[in-house]
Amino acid sequence: MKTVTLNSGHQIPVVGLGTWRAKPEEIENAIDAALEQGYRHIDTAFNYNTEEAIGKVMENRIRDGKIKRGDVFITTKLPNVGNRSRDVEKFLNMSLERLKMNYVDLYLIHMPFSFFGDEESYAPLKDNDGSVQLDVNANIVETWGEMEQQVEKGRTRSIGLSNFNMEQVERICKSCKIVPSVLQVELHAYLQQKELVEKCKELGIVVTAYSPLGSPGANQHFSSKYNYTIDDFPDILGHPTVQNLAQKYSKSAGQILLRHSIQRGIVVIPKSLNPNRIKDNINIFDFGLFDQDVQALDALDRGERGRIFDFLFFKGVELHPEYPFKHRFIENTLKSM
Ligand SMILES: NC(=O)c1ccc[n+]([C@@H]2O[C@H](COP(=O)([O-])OP(=O)(O)OC[C@H]3O[C@@H](n4cnc5c(N)ncnc54)[C@H](OP(=O)(O)O)[C@@H]3O)[C@@H](O)[C@H]2O)c1
């Protein structure tokens, strides 16, 4: 498996398996299938409810001598209900316990904004009108300081950020002892994040693309879980340019999109529960896109209009001082006027 070297000196495999929106019983089979196909990188989060399944599969495989802990790069994330310095160690320990591991390879701050959470379920607390209770006093620079402590204590090998905007990444970099190794953000053909990727390159931060296929199916999840739908939900896999290139290269649309990102030096973490698609999504190293085809895919970029995950399904999140996509909220408000 091709890897990229992080600024921490550790290697991150270029393709990982995403595990969001997967039921525990489904994800065990998917992880097994993925490891069988050569995946050595799994992305999870405290919030995904998949850490235990990952721990179980890894434990079985290690016990059977099929794999060693050090062979697989495991990423998990600090939830926004624990996004304050005093909670970092507690949440990382809980993740490690679920994963049955004594360290993770990468620990990310999942989102820059912080909520108050229920002490038992860890769900965000809500007001009577459904608004989430914002913790506006949590300080991301202080949280980062505690993330650095976790590297020193050996609980994580590398640390990073997710869903931070450029100003927030730069703010962390100005005051840190350890520069973030990874920034994990939404990135696909419709939201190519060119400026942010350039800035990360300058800062020595590797970018990981989440929802690299445009998260087909997420709209259904939003509407059933949050009663929230995106009117113009993208179908990037079905775009004629992507479909034509799939035919030209005799590859699937998914492979074309993933190949486009890895040719930009970006790590991708597509999620699939389907054995054939799991196999497809990692078989992207036996071909290369020609320059004119890269340009055709580059031209699909819609900038901020291509963003799917603005987190506005958390009612009132835009009022948090660290909400990273303020312009998006303003745009939506103007559109509805
Ligand atoms: N940091 C964050 O805030 C954040 C946010 C979102 C996601 N993530 C991470 O990024 C991972 C990937 O993002 P995502 O799950 O939103 O979206 P995605 O990987 O872009 O898309 C996943 C969806 O595409 C389908 N799919 C997978 N491979 C396919 C292929 N080759 N052709 C056609 N359809 C395919 C899957 O269905 P099947 O399962 O049926 O194949 C699934 O419904 C997540 O699982 C999670 O680990 C992080």
Side-chain angles (χ1 to χ4, degrees), residues 20 43 48 162-163 184 211 213 215-216 271-273 277 281:
W20 177 59
D43 182 78
Y48 295 172
S162 181
N163 296 303
Q184 185 182 118
S211 306
L213 305 169
S215 205
K271 171 254 169 185
S272 181
L273 298 176
R277 290 194 281 274
N281 293 345

Side-chain angles (χ1 to χ4, degrees), residues 18 20 36 38 43 53-54 63 110 113-114 128 151 178 296 300 306 333:
W20 177 59
E36 211 52 56
D43 182 78
I54 294 166
R63 197 189 42 228
H110 203 152
F113 44 83
S114 318
N128 289 339
V151 179
I178 301 178
L300 300 186
T333 313

Side-chain angles (χ1 to χ4, degrees), residues 28 59 65 90 99 121 148 165 183 193 195 207 212 215 233 244 271 283 293-294 300 313 332 335:
E28 279 181 35
E59 191 179 53
K90 176 176 100 181
L99 287 161
S121 68
E148 294 174 329
N165 65 25
L183 174 66
Q193 306 262 29
E195 216 187 327
V207 174
S215 205
F233 198 81
N244 288 340
K271 171 254 169 185
N283 283 329
D293 298 329
V294 168
L300 300 186
F313 46 78
N332 278 3
K335 240 199 291 177

